[in-house]
């Protein structure tokens, strides 16, 4: 399955969304940088077929059918659009999400869902959680750890009938490590789902690798998933300089660094609204045991 | 189930934090506060008018009525102070004028110096109206002026009743006198009518009799005329007879002489004839003997028989002729004898005639004299009877005229009697007590008997349906300040716009039903209003609230906070057009159209029907209208949600102008 956006834009003079292109294939994570007020949401809506772009087009496996796109692509945790209200308890949010998927909404199902998510995150080497599922279930959404939140919302979105691809909007707004949600995204992509992540440039810059794409279709390149990712320590990762990085307009594949590094003071690139939006596409390791 | 989860999530979101719960409770209490406070404050304003300060100024100097001194001003004052429908304060004109300006009094009721004089003037020749003066000041309270008008009207009505009763009573007493006099008049008229009836009958008899008499007199006149003519003829005939019979005695004597001579001649003739006849008879008697001698001669002769027979035949012929001649002689002789006898009788008669003729002549002369007298008398009789007949004719005409005239008199008398009698019937026959009652009725002819089909227990209960409807709208409006119209997550996650719209409506509808339950409790328990169909009314209130929820939901979905603002505009519009206070027919035309269309009008009407026990079919129709709105607004919400499900616009994301 391939989702391809060609020079989609909304509004005029690049506001709220300048012309942006990206491609997401099954089993790949594509990162598109989008910042400022409406831009991430607009892009997320367009990418999931829920807003008509003023220019350009978006196709799913070559067909430009927004209804099909809406059916196959879920919009996860988009601010103001599909995020759970900050005040409600996690259990309430999960009950609603479970009901979207047509699954059991009992308390045991909710706790089981949390337990599964914690387990999967732990397996992926993310920050371990010391609190029990029941404790976490009674937390308001605003206090739920970002990695757990994104894991739960993304997994539950994928479990909805007909949903195959995810658009994850601004996962960086919850804080935490960008590598955490990136890892989760890679894990989900490794199950042959196309994954589009929309985040700010600073977060993108913190990821182990990223490429800056021009306002044209980025060529997605496969990225090996480091096996060492499972043993990541509790320190932020430093993206290793990738060969050929800096050539704007060409999608460059980044690879996870093998060793953890402290955050290096790489200045984030300012991305004016009228500038092209850099995108990064990564492919999880095909040999990943979870794949 | 998804619906329940969506509603549950929204309710959990609304109660997630202490602050949120506080906000929810506060907003949930809005309708209770609004309806409860208003209705409590206006529970019975008319019952509390006794606290409204009103100046009463009585300057009446009094008057006299039927020689008695009266002072209606003081009477009215006593009555008003006893009645105490408002807070009367008796004061002077100047104090009152000052007080009404600085708000000490809401209005002034003044009875001027000539109040009683004017009231008693109705009995005199120059009646004038009494004046109750009302001084109001709208700065005190506009409604106080309205109330003042009502109070003054009550005062006016009560005075009118009293004065009117006295006037009516004296009028009725006058009628009673008229009635007794009229009774006598009726009796007299009855007698008169009876008398004229007999007179008319008599006149009729008289007329009939005179007609008969007149006919008789006419016959008499005609008979007398005929008799007169006859008498004239008799008289002239008798005169002629007298003239003609004057020579009768002399002529009778001559006749007698002639007759005597005839009788004598005839006697001679008869004697002669007798001699002749005897002679002839003797001849005849000799014939047979002659014949026998001849026969004997013949026999003796030798003649043959034939010759003998021939001779005898000849002889017999002569013998027969002799017989015949004899018979004729004998006959003539007998006739001459009769003639002689007759002429002898005639002579005797003429002798008598001659003897009596003078007496006859004298008798005729006497008869002629008598008939002359008779004719003269009959002449007079005929003239008199003619006069009589003419007079009788006049009598007939007169009596006929008399009869006609008397008939007219009689019918006039009958009319007079009947008219007086029916007039008497029209004059009420009343005892003094009845006159008292009648006077009371005339002075206060119309009692307003309010037979209420349904009844609100007081002013507050009367206003309740309007304020319940308003509270329902305000409550829903307030809820939408914190309730999210749609679950955006659900719109994004599911292709079930109808479900999402229904969930968006169900949350405020449930909360609205709770609000309505609280309002219902306040009204029935705290304020103690009577509700005829409690369950029906509560159900209708919940329906009202749910309907308003769909309307504001649809506005929110379509227009965001601008739609919410339009909900406020719509509330103001319905506040004006719902007909909660004045009857909706008092609205200007365009607003009347809005009244028919907008849902709150139906809500007010339906709650009225159910609260006061009115027409349930009307309440059903109102519920139908609300349901129509509910379904329509839900359909609009669904269409808006479907659009959001398919594609958002930037306007959906941008914060709107308001809120």
């Amino acid at each position: 399955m391939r989702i391809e956006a060609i020079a989609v834009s909304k509004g005029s003079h690049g506001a709220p969304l300048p012309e942006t292109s990206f491609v997401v294939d099954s089993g790949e994570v594509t990162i598109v940088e989008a910042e400022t007020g409406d831009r991430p949401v607009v892009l997320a809506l367009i990418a999931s077929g829920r807003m008509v772009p003023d220019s350009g087009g978006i196709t799913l496996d070559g067909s430009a059918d927004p209804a099909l796109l809406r059916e196959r692509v879920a919009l996860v945790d988009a601010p103001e659009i599909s995020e759970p209200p900050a005040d409600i308890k996690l259990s309430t949010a999960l009950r609603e999400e479970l009901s979207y998927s047509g699954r059991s909404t009992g308390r045991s199902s909710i706790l089981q869902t949390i337990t599964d998510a914690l387990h999967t995150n732990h397996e992926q080497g993310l920050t371990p959680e010391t609190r029990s599922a029941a404790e976490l279930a009674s937390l308001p959404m605003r206090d739920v750890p970002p990695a757990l939140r994104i894991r739960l919302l993304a997994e539950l979105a994928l479990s909805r009938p007909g949903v195959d691809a995810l658009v994850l909007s601004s996962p960086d707004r919850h804080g935490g490590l960008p590598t955490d949600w990136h890892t989760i995204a890679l894990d989900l992509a490794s199950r042959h789902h196309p994954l589009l992540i929309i985040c700010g440039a600073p977060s993108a810059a913190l990821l182990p690798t990223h490429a800056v794409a021009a306002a044209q279709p980025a060529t997605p390149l496969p990225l090996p998933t480091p096996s060492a990712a499972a043993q990541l320590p509790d320190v932020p990762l430093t993206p290793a300089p990738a060969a050929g990085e800096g050539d704007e307009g060409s999608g460059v594949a980044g690879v996870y660094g093998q060793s953890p590094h402290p955050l290096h003071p790489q200045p984030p690139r300012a991305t004016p609204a009228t500038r092209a939006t850099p995108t990064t596409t990564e492919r999880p390791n095909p040999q990943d045991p979870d794949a | 189930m998804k619906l329940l989860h969506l509603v549950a999530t929204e309710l959990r979101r609304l109660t997630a934090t202490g602050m949120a719960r506080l906000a929810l409770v506060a907003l949930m209490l809005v309708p209770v506060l609004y309806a409860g406070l208003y209705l409590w404050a206006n529970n019975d304003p008319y019952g509390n008018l006794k606290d409204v300060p009103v100046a009463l100024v009585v300057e009446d100097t009094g008057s006299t009525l039927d020689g008695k001194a009266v002072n209606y001003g003081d009477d009215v004052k006593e009555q008003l102070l006893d009645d105490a429908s408002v807070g009367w304060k008796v004061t002077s004109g100047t104090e009152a004028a000052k007080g009404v300006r600085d708000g000490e009094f809401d209005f002034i009721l003044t009875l001027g110096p000539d109040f009683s004089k004017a009231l008693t003037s109705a009995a005199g020749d120059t009646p004038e109206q009494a004046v109750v003066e009302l001084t109001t000041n709208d700065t005190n309270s506009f409604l106080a002026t309205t109330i003042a008008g009502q109070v003054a009207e009550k005062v006016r009505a009560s005075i009118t009743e009293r004065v009117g009763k006295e006037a009516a009573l004296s009028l009725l007493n006058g009628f009673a006198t008229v009635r007794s006099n009229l009774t006598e008049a009726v009796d007299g008229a009855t007698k008169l009518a009876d008398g004229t009836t007999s007179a008319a009958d008599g006149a009729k008899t008289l007329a009939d009799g005179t007609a008969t008499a007149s006919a008789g007199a006419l016959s008499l006149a005609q008979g007398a005329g005929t008799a007169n003519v006859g008498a004239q003829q008799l008289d002239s005939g008798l005169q002629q007879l007298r003239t003609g019979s004057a020579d009768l005695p002399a002529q009778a004597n001559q006749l007698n002489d002639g007759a005597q001579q005839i009788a004598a001649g005839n006697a001679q003739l008869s004697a002669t004839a007798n001699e002749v006849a005897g002679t002839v008879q003797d001849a005849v008697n000799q014939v047979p003997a002659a014949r026998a001698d001849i026969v004997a001669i013949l026999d003796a002769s030798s003649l043959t028989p034939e010759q003998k027979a021939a001779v005898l035949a000849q002889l017999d012929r002569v013998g027969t002729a002799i017989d015949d001649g004899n018979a004729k002689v004998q006959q003539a002789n007998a006739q001459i004898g009769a003639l002689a006898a007759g002429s002898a009788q005639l002579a005797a008669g003429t002798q008598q005639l001659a003897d009596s003729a003078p007496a006859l002549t004298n008798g005729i002369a006497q008869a002629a004299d008598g008939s002359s007298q008779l004719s003269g008398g009959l002449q007079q009789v005929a003239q008199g009877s003619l006069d009589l007949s003419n007079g009788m004719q006049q009598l007939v005409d007169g009596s006929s005229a008399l009869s006609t005239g008397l008939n007219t008199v009689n019918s006039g008398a009958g009319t007079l009697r009947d008219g007086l009698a029916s007039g008497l019937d029209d004059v009420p026959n009343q005892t003094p007590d009845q006159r008292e009652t009648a006077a009371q009725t005339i002075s206060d002819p119309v009692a307003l008997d309010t037979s209420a089909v349904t009844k609100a227990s007081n002013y507050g209960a009367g206003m309740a349906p309007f304020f319940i409807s308003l509270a329902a709208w305000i409550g829903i409006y307030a809820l939408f300040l914190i309730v999210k119209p749609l679950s955006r997550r659900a719109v994004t996650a599911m292709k079930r716009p109808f479900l999402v719209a229904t969930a968006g409506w169900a949350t405020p509808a449930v909360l609205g039903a709770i609000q309505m339950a609280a309002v219902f409790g306040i009204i029935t328990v705290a304020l103690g209003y009577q509700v005829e169909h409690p369950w029906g009314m509560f159900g209708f209130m919940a329906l009202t609230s749910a309907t308003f929820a769909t309307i504001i939901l649809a506005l929110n979905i379509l227009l965001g906070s601008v739609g919410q603002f339009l909900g406020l505009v719509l509330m103001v519009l319905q506040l004006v057009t719902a007909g909660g206070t004045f009857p909706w027919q008092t609205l200007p035309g365009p607003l009347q159209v809005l009244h028919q269309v907008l849902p709150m009008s139906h809500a007010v009407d339906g709650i009225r029907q159910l609260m006061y026990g009115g027409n349930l079919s009307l309440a059903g129709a109102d519920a139908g209208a609300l349901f129509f709105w509910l379904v329509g607004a839900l359909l609009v919400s669904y269409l808006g949600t479907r659009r959001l499900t398919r594609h958002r616009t930037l306007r959906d994301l941008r914060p709107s102008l308001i809120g």
Side-chain angles (χ1 to χ4, degrees):
Chain A
M1 177 176 173
R2 162 179 273 231
I3 301 167
E4 187 170 2
I6 300 168
V8 292
S9 75
K10 191 80 185 172
S12 53
H13 306 296
L17 184 68
E19 285 194 357
T20 305
S21 305
F22 58 83
V23 173
V24 197
D25 274 315
S26 288
E28 286 182 358
V29 175
T30 299
I31 294 176
V32 181
E33 289 177 17
E35 287 174 333
T36 74
D38 285 339
R39 192 174 298 174
V41 176
V42 169
L43 182 57
L45 285 168
I46 290 174
S48 60
R50 288 172 171 86
M51 185 182 268
V52 182
D54 288 348
S55 73
I58 184 157
T59 57
L60 190 150
D61 291 338
S63 96
D65 180 4
L68 185 68
L69 200 62
R70 284 197 294 275
E71 201 167 330
R72 305 289 305 276
V73 183
L75 183 53
V76 180
D77 206 23
E80 295 289 317
I81 299 295
S82 60
E83 64 176 353
D87 289 333
I88 63 168
K89 292 196 178 88
L90 175 60
S91 56
T92 307
L94 291 184
R95 185 176 291 117
E96 192 180 321
E97 288 286 342
L98 285 167
S99 83
Y100 293 155
S101 306
R103 288 158 63 179
S104 157
T105 57
R107 181 152 180 84
S108 59
S109 312
I110 293 167
L111 292 179
Q112 189 59 52
T113 309
I114 298 172
T115 310
D116 289 350
L118 288 172
H119 179 70
T120 315
N121 276 357
H122 187 67
E123 277 190 339
Q124 295 287 315
L126 299 182
T127 319
E129 180 55 58
T130 54
R131 285 167 291 189
S132 68
E135 274 180 289
L136 290 165
S138 63
L139 286 178
M141 280 309 294
R142 63 158 53 87
D143 297 338
V144 174
L148 177 62
R149 171 192 180 112
I150 288 160
R151 167 66 73 178
L152 281 168
L153 292 178
E155 292 274 12
L156 283 169
L158 275 176
S159 73
R160 288 178 205 157
V163 170
D164 199 35
L166 294 185
V167 174
L168 193 55
S169 178
S170 315
D172 50 342
R173 72 186 189 278
H174 306 299
L177 294 171
T179 47
D180 281 1
W181 47 258
H182 193 245
T183 305
I184 293 167
L186 287 171
D187 175 37
L188 295 172
S190 70
R191 300 181 221 156
H192 302 291
H193 293 297
L195 235 78
L196 178 70
I197 299 180
I198 299 163
C199 66
S203 307
L206 288 177
L207 291 176
T209 59
H210 72 277
V212 180
Q216 58 206 26
T219 311
L221 290 176
L223 279 179
T225 307
S227 53
Q231 292 88 38
L232 275 176
D234 285 355
V235 285
L237 290 172
T238 309
E245 184 193 338
D247 282 349
E248 282 200 291
S250 61
V252 179
V255 191
Y256 275 114
Q258 294 293 319
S259 54
H261 293 283
L263 283 170
H264 72 82
Q266 184 181 338
R269 267 188 296 279
T271 314
T274 49
R275 291 272 311 277
T277 312
T279 62
T280 306
T281 306
E282 293 157 284
R283 190 184 294 280
N285 187 353
Q287 282 81 45
D288 194 291
D290 288 347
Chain B
M1 285 316 289
K2 286 193 174 69
L3 179 76
L4 288 181
H5 286 304
L6 286 173
V7 174
T9 308
E10 182 61 11
L11 290 175
R12 286 208 167 82
R13 185 186 72 78
L14 291 170
T15 56
T17 67
M19 208 58 202
R21 282 191 288 273
L22 191 65
L24 180 64
V25 169
L27 291 176
M28 288 290 285
L29 283 175
V30 163
V32 170
L33 282 174
Y34 178 74
L37 269 179
Y38 184 93
L39 293 175
W40 179 46
N42 290 287
N43 198 14
D44 191 12
Y46 288 99
N48 298 330
L49 286 180
K50 57 185 181 299
D51 299 330
V52 174
V54 181
L56 178 61
V57 180
V58 182
E59 298 163 335
D60 190 7
T61 53
S63 174
T64 54
L65 181 68
D66 301 337
K68 290 199 297 279
V70 289
N71 189 321
Y72 287 113
D74 287 344
D75 296 350
V76 171
K77 180 172 76 178
E78 295 304 320
Q79 194 185 337
L80 290 177
L81 291 177
D82 285 350
D83 185 30
S85 56
V86 295
W88 296 109
K89 293 194 173 55
V90 182
T91 177
S92 69
T94 48
E95 284 293 314
K98 182 174 162 300
V100 81
R101 268 197 301 277
D102 57 25
E104 188 189 345
F105 303 121
D106 276 6
F107 58 94
I108 312 169
L109 193 76
T110 308
L111 305 178
D114 295 337
F115 186 67
S116 293
K117 209 170 288 169
L119 283 180
T120 52
S121 68
D125 300 334
T126 52
E128 54 174 314
Q129 281 190 310
V131 178
V132 176
E133 200 180 331
L134 186 66
T135 314
T136 59
N137 181 353
D138 282 345
T139 56
N140 296 331
S141 161
F142 175 70
L143 274 180
T145 302
T146 311
I147 293 161
Q150 290 179 355
V151 169
E153 177 54 32
K154 263 164 85 177
V155 170
R156 196 194 65 77
S158 103
I159 294 165
T160 305
E161 191 181 335
R162 274 189 58 175
V163 174
K165 184 183 165 184
E166 283 164 13
L169 192 58
S170 65
L171 195 65
L172 288 174
N173 288 338
F175 269 122
T177 311
V178 169
R179 187 185 163 86
S180 69
N181 296 343
L182 200 54
T183 309
E184 291 170 19
V186 170
D187 291 347
T190 307
K191 286 178 187 158
L192 174 65
D194 294 349
T196 52
T197 305
S198 336
D201 292 348
K204 186 164 173 7
T205 312
L206 174 65
D208 294 349
T210 51
T212 313
S214 172
L218 193 59
S219 312
L220 175 65
Q222 286 169 344
T226 312
N228 183 27
V229 172
Q232 299 293 340
Q233 290 175 338
L234 176 66
D235 187 35
S236 66
L238 279 174
Q239 294 309 327
Q240 286 178 347
L241 181 62
R242 184 185 200 167
T243 313
S245 66
D247 299 333
L248 186 61
Q251 290 166 340
N253 281 334
Q254 287 176 345
L255 177 64
N256 189 28
D257 292 348
Q260 291 303 330
Q261 291 171 348
I262 291 167
N266 279 348
Q268 286 177 342
L269 177 59
S270 180
T272 312
N274 261 341
E275 283 175 24
V276 170
T279 314
V280 171
Q281 194 60 52
D282 284 348
V284 168
N285 290 347
Q286 294 168 351
V287 165
R291 195 187 177 247
D293 290 352
I294 297 170
V295 168
I297 307 166
L298 281 173
D299 282 347
S301 69
S302 56
L303 289 170
T304 69
E306 277 95 5
Q307 288 165 323
K308 281 181 229 169
V311 170
L312 273 178
Q314 286 287 346
L315 183 57
D316 281 343
R317 207 172 56 207
V318 174
T320 304
I322 294 167
D323 277 348
D324 288 348
N326 182 37
K328 282 179 184 156
V329 169
Q330 291 305 329
Q331 199 180 358
N333 183 35
Q335 284 171 341
I336 290 164
L339 176 65
S343 54
Q345 284 176 339
L346 174 67
T350 52
Q351 188 59 52
Q352 280 180 342
L353 178 65
D355 293 345
S356 60
L360 174 66
T361 309
N362 288 341
I364 287 171
Q366 282 178 351
D369 291 347
S371 75
S372 281
Q373 287 177 344
L374 172 67
S375 170
L378 275 175
Q379 181 77 38
Q380 289 177 341
V381 169
Q383 188 58 50
S385 65
L386 194 60
D387 291 347
L388 172 66
S389 173
N390 289 339
M392 281 309 288
Q393 190 54 51
Q394 289 179 342
L395 180 60
V396 167
D397 293 348
S399 64
S400 164
L402 172 67
S403 174
T404 311
L406 273 175
N407 274 334
T408 311
V409 171
N410 184 32
S411 78
T415 311
L416 173 67
R417 183 199 57 212
D418 294 347
L420 284 174
S422 73
L424 183 63
D425 289 344
D426 289 345
V427 178
N429 183 15
Q430 294 169 313
T431 64
D433 284 351
Q434 287 174 321
R435 285 203 290 278
E436 185 78 19
T437 314
Q440 179 67 45
T441 311
I442 291 169
S443 66
D444 187 14
V446 182
L448 186 61
D449 183 8
T450 316
S451 75
V453 178
T454 61
K455 195 156 168 47
S457 43
N458 56 24
Y459 181 83
M463 298 301 285
F466 182 44
F467 280 88
I468 291 169
S469 309
L470 271 179
W473 187 279
I474 291 169
I476 293 294
Y477 179 85
L479 281 178
F480 269 100
L481 296 174
I482 55 169
V483 172
K484 286 229 183 316
L486 286 180
S487 164
R488 292 190 170 194
R489 294 180 311 288
V491 169
T492 311
M494 291 195 293
K495 282 205 305 178
R496 305 277 300 279
F498 187 77
L499 175 77
V500 178
T502 309
W505 160 72
T507 310
V510 167
L511 292 173
I514 296 168
Q515 286 180 334
M516 287 297 104
V519 169
F520 187 76
I522 286 282
I523 281 170
T524 51
V525 179
L527 294 170
Y529 294 157
Q530 172 69 25
V531 175
E532 292 297 325
H533 305 282
W535 284 107
M537 176 164 150
F538 174 65
F540 190 90
M541 284 164 67
L543 171 68
T544 301
S545 180
T547 304
F548 293 170
T550 48
I551 294 168
I552 299 178
L553 174 78
L555 287 170
N556 266 291
I557 289 174
L558 290 182
L559 303 165
S561 57
V562 173
Q564 176 76 359
F565 168 73
L566 284 183
L568 190 65
V569 172
L570 206 51
M571 185 192 83
V572 171
L573 214 53
Q574 296 187 96
L575 180 80
V576 172
T577 58
T581 50
F582 284 99
W584 62 269
Q585 289 87 345
T586 58
L587 293 169
L591 293 184
Q592 287 199 14
V593 175
L594 284 179
H595 166 87
Q596 300 288 1
V597 172
L598 291 175
M600 199 182 286
S601 322
H602 298 288
V604 173
D605 185 63
I607 294 172
R608 274 183 187 152
Q609 303 294 352
L610 292 162
M611 184 166 172
Y612 312 144
N615 186 337
L616 290 186
S617 68
L618 281 181
D622 290 322
L626 287 177
F627 190 73
F628 181 80
W629 269 95
L630 190 149
V631 170
L634 203 57
L635 186 67
V636 171
S637 306
Y638 157 72
L639 292 172
T641 312
R642 193 177 66 159
R643 201 272 301 162
L644 280 173
T645 307
R646 292 186 175 173
H647 58 88
R648 315 284 175 94
T649 62
L650 287 177
R651 203 171 58 81
D652 297 327
L653 305 177
R654 300 268 165 82
S656 49
L657 305 167
I658 309 164

